[in-house]
Every structure is written in C-alpha cells, then in structure tokens.
C-alpha cells in the first residue's frame, strides 16, 4: 500500500465529486503527492546524514538534529496528505451504502437482473439530501486538517524557513571537569529561560515541549552526580556562577 | 509477496464483511499499513547506523543496541499488522468452501439450487448467518486478542511508548556506563503514539463489530422464539416485503434510478 494504492482508492470517489472537487483531487495528486515523491524526497533524503555539526563529540549530531527537526518536513507532508485525502472516503462509503439500498430495492421490485445492477453501479449519484451533508462534512474536515498542519508547520519551523546554520548548545558535552561544571551551571540557568532566536535553535517550541521531560531527567541526573564536585568548584571559582550562558538546545 | 498482495487477498474478504468491518479494513490499510510504508520505515531506516555510543570499545555499540531494541518497532508493527489481518482469511476460506458446495450442487443438477449459472455463484454475496456467523465472530475475537497482545508487548518491551534521546548502557563488553544516543527520538515518539492511537481505534471498531453481530444474533433468536405458533404464510411474507420496499423508497427517494416502475 503506497501512494499508487491511495490513488486507486480515491479515484473511485472522483466520479461522485463536484467539478471543483475533481480539480482539487488532481491538484493533490499532481502538485503535491507527485512533487513529494519525485522531488522532495530526494531533497530531504540526506537530511540526517548530511547534517554536520562542528564537533567530534559522539551523540552531539543526533541530539542537535533531533532538536532542530523534531518531525521531518517529509513525514509531516506525508501525514498531511493522507489525512487530507481520507475524508473523501466518507463520501465513497455513503455512495456505496446508497447503491446497496438501490440494489435491494431493485431486487424487491423484481428488477434484480445483472443489467439493472450494472446500471446502479455506473450511474452518478446526485449530491443531495444526506449525501450533501456527508460531502460538506468531508470538505470541512479537509479544511480543518489543512489548517492544523499549516499551523503545526509554522510552530515547528517558524517563518517556514530552513536555516543554513543552527547553533546548538545542549548535551552531550566533552567529559572534562570545566565543561562539566559549565553544563551543570547552564542546566540550572536553563530552567527559567526562553530563547526565541531561531538561528540559535530555540525557536522550535514544540520540540522544546516534547524533549523538556527527557532533558529534565538528564539535568536531575547530572545535578545528583555533580553535587559534590560542583560545590568544590564553585568555592574555588565563584565567577563561574555569574556567567549568563544561555542553553539554547534544551 | 508484499503489502500490495495482502491488500489484494483481503480486498476479496471485504465483500462479505459488515459495514464496520469494511471501515476497519480501510483504517488498517490507509492509516496503518500506508503510514508504515510511506513514513515510518524511513524514520526507522537509520536506527542502527545512527545509534551512537560514546565509546570506541568494539562491540559495545552493537550490544547496547541489541539490549535497548530487542525487536525494532517497525518489525513489531509489521508482525502485528500481519497477525491482525489474517483472521479475515478464516472468513475467506469459509466463503470459498460454501461456494464450492453450491457449485457442486449446481453441477449435480440439484433442483433446490436456485442459481442460473456458475458465474452467479462466484459473484454472490453470502449473508453472515449460521456457521459463517461463528467463523466471522471468531475472526474478530482473534483480531482483538492479537491487537491487545502486541500493544502489551510494545508497552512491556519499551517501558511506555516514548523514545528517550539518551540511554545509559553498561552491558559487556562496554568498559563502563556508556552514553548511547538514539537517532530521531522525537519523530519516533510521534509515530509510535500515532500507531498506538490508530491501533486503539481499530480495537474499538472490532469491539463495535462484535457487539453488532451479537445484537443481530440475539434479535434473530428472539424473533424465532417469538413466532413459534405463527405459520409463515404468504400474506406475512408479502407484508414484510412491502414494508422493506417502503423503507428503501423513503431512504433513497432523492437518488433512485429514474426509469424503473414500481
């Protein structure tokens, strides 16, 4: 089951749509699904492998990638296209139900021969009565899904822009004492701060929400590990506590 | 043999399902199999290559990966979808058996057989009653059991449905507690929650279908029990037929095929 399978399922619905509905379905398949499959997937194909961070620290690349791209554009578009096209199936189900009722009626009135049955299958249903309500509901749901996904896109990737450079300052850090303290001090400062600068990677509000619990767990762990050594370091270097470093990746 | 072939096999079962069964099948193919093929497989595609551990110890990364992911999400979902869709084949087999019996009767020239030719037998849709009702209900029951078992297996193996970003591993041969980082944890969490939500919807649909079948069974039974003294005569049948026709006409009056006289 892939995009071709979805096309087979939805092209049956086409017959019972309005003229604008048919144009909409063609636009979906040609300008969105086809562009996604033929072009966008190759553009995003190397999104993770070609995401390069200026560090040798193991895991930093993965963490920063996850921070900047909580859900990849391609997957969001795939979900959007699937959810936007499926309300049309409500209409298909309603039409199938009405055709079933018509066939039953024909059988009861003695017109149950194959020729009449074929005619029932082939004739186009008028969009009136309960079918009109189903059709309108499907259009409303389509609009709703489109709006929700455009909003999600805007929330995840502010301004719909792809930054060329992102600054990422989260875990993991190299295991040297100084950096360890920095990490803990930053962890403490991080809790109350919000950085909305997109180029520093903090614009991803949703990513922040999703990952904040994990980060909190990591922070707590670090705090308990570093408790003893922190106190010594702070006693020896009181200036460290005053550094207003912003942790933008957490 | 791929998901397309499964779609072909199960599409044939669709004809003999209830309406809820048809909706369930649509949800299965579009929201689960299609999402798996089109999106989830890409997300999990680099799960082992991009599982990075902060160590140079040979073998440590592989051992840790195996420890945290005994069975990958993708494989578990594939198994779940296969197990959940195959009870429908019980129904397909039963229908095929009935058709075979009808064809045998037709060829023998049995006068009870009401079909005109073999094609009609092939195209006929069987009502879900008698032994077919039991087969159909058993298939729904097995579907429910498999869904529940796999959801429990997921929850048990991965301790909830979240994918953590960092895992600490100290399995041999890792020299100490090593930090291991999972690739795309947020995206994986989102897809896991989506697939679990759709599984839950499928479970609800199956429960609804089971209730519908049981209700139909008990109603039919109470009708039969309520009419032991009434002889099914010609007048009663005509009345029921007329009532049904009136109902159908009032339901479909706006979309009835023009040209058929009553």
């Amino acid at each position: 089951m892939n995009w071709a399978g979805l096309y087979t399922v939805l092209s049956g619905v086409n017959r019972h749509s309005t003229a604008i509905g048919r144009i909409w379905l063609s636009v979906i398949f040609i300008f969105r699904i086809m562009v996604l499959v033929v072009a966008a997937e190759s553009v995003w194909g190397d999104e993770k492998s070609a995401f390069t961070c200026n560090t040798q620290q193991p895991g930093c690349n993965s963490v920063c990638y996850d921070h900047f791209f909580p859900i990849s554009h391609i997957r969001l578009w795939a979900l959007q296209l699937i959810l936007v096209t499926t309300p049309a199936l409500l209409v298909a189900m309603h039409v199938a139900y009405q055709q079933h009722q018509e066939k039953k009626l024909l059988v009861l009135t003695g017109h149950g021969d194959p020729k009449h049955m074929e005619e029932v299958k082939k004739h186009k249903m008028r969009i009136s009565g309960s079918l009109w309500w189903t059709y309108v509901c499907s259009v409303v749901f389509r609009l709703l899904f489109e709006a929700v996904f455009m909003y999600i896109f805007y929330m995840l990737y502010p301004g719909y822009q792809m930054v060329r450079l992102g600054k990422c300052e989260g875990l993991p850090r190299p295991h040297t004492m100084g950096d360890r303290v920095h990490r803990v001090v930053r962890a403490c400062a991080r809790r109350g701060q919000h950085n909305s600068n997109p180029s520093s990677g903090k614009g991803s509000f949703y990513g922040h929400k999703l990952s904040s619990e994990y980060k909190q767990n990591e922070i707590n762990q670090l705090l308990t590990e570093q408790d003893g050594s922190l106190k010594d370091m702070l006693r020896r270097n009181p200036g460290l506590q005053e550094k207003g470093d912003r942790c933008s990746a957490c | 043999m791929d998901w397309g072939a499964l779609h072909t096999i199960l599409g044939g079962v669709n004809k003999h399902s209830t309406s809820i069964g048809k909706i369930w099948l649509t949800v299965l193919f579009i929201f689960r199999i299609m999402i798996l093929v089109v999106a989830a497989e890409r997300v999990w595609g680099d799960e082992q290559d991009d599982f990075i551990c902060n160590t140079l110890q040979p073998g440590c990364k592989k051992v840790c990966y195996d420890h945290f992911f005994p069975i990958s999400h993708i494989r578990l979902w594939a198994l779940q979808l296969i197990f959940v869709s195959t009870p429908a084949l019980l129904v397909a087999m039963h229908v095929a058996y009935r058709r075979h019996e009808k064809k045998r009767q037709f060829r023998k020239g049995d006068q009870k057989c009401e079909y005109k030719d073999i094609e009609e037998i092939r195209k006929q849709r069987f009502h879900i009653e008698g032994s077919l009702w039991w087969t159909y209900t058993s298939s729904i029951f097995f579907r429910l059991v498999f869904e529940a078992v796999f959801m429990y297996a997921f929850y048990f193996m991965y301790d909830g449905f979240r994918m953590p970003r960092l895992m600490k591993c100290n399995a041999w041969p890792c020299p100490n507690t090593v930090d291991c980082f999972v690739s795309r944890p947020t995206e994986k969490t989102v897809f896991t929650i989506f697939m679990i939500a759709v599984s839950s919807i499928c479970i609800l649909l199956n429960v609804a279908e089971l209730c519908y079948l049981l209700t139909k069974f008990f109603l039919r039974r109470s009708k039969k029990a309520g009419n032991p003294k009434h002889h099914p005569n010609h007048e009663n049948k005509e009345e029921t037929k007329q009532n049904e026709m009136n109902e159908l006409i009032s339901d479909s009056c706006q979309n009835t095929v023009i040209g058929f006289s009553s």
Side-chain angles (χ1 to χ4, degrees), chain A residues 36-109:
Chain A
L36 184 84
V37 169
V38 153
E41 281 187 353
S42 3
V43 175
W44 268 266
D46 61 354
E47 57 174 336
K48 180 100 198 297
S49 52
F51 182 81
T52 316
C53 291
N54 188 7
T55 180
Q56 294 276 336
Q57 170 65 33
C60 189
N61 202 316
S62 285
V63 166
C64 292
Y65 177 84
D66 185 61
H67 172 74
F68 286 115
F69 304 106
I71 309 169
S72 166
H73 290 68
I74 288 278
R75 255 73 69 185
L76 265 179
W77 283 323
L79 272 175
Q80 182 182 11
L81 286 166
I82 289 168
L83 285 173
V84 152
T85 45
T86 39
L89 294 176
L90 288 173
V91 177
M93 284 189 244
H94 194 137
V95 163
Y97 170 75
Q98 279 187 340
Q99 280 176 345
H100 174 72
Q101 297 288 83
E102 277 185 25
K103 280 181 184 170
K104 256 171 101 175
L105 186 63
L106 285 173
V107 165
L108 283 172
T109 52

Side-chain angles (χ1 to χ4, degrees), chain A residues 66 70 75 102 116 210 213, chain B residues 50 162 186-187 255 257 260:
Chain A
D66 185 61
R75 255 73 69 185
E102 277 185 25
H116 288 136
L210 271 177
E213 258 192 57
Chain B
D50 280 359
R162 280 185 175 164
T186 311
E187 212 167 351
N255 285 311
V257 175
F260 291 103

Side-chain angles (χ1 to χ4, degrees), chain A residues 12-30:
Chain A
V13 180
N14 218 4
R15 205 145 49 92
H16 307 284
S17 304
T18 59
I20 300 174
R22 289 176 201 183
I23 294 170
W24 172 84
L25 208 68
S26 306
V27 167
I28 284 264
F29 277 106
I30 297 174

Side-chain angles (χ1 to χ4, degrees), chain B residues 47-77:
Chain B
E47 57 173 327
Q48 207 193 356
D49 294 334
D50 280 359
F51 182 77
I52 295 165
C53 291
N54 190 5
T55 180
L56 287 174
Q57 171 65 37
C60 180
K61 181 184 140 169
K62 288 198 182 351
V63 164
C64 291
Y65 178 82
D66 185 60
H67 174 75
F68 289 117
F69 303 106
I71 309 171
S72 167
H73 289 64
I74 287 280
R75 258 72 70 185
L76 258 181
W77 283 325

Side-chain angles (χ1 to χ4, degrees), chain B residues 18-20 128 133 207-217:
Chain B
T18 60
S19 319
I20 305 176
I128 303 170
W133 184 91
V207 168
E209 202 178 359
L210 207 58
C211 293
Y212 168 74
L213 285 168
L214 288 169
T215 312
K216 225 171 127 178
F217 174 75

Side-chain angles (χ1 to χ4, degrees), chain B residues 76-115:
Chain B
L76 258 181
W77 283 325
L79 273 175
Q80 181 181 13
L81 289 167
I82 290 169
F83 272 92
V84 151
S85 39
T86 39
L89 295 177
L90 288 174
V91 178
M93 283 190 256
H94 193 137
V95 162
Y97 168 75
R98 268 204 188 172
R99 277 207 184 119
H100 176 74
E101 287 295 298
K102 298 257 183 223
K103 280 182 189 170
R104 215 159 49 90
Q105 276 179 1
F106 179 78
R107 282 195 193 106
K108 264 188 186 172
D110 196 338
Q111 296 204 342
K112 279 191 218 161
C113 187
E114 66 269 24
Y115 301 103

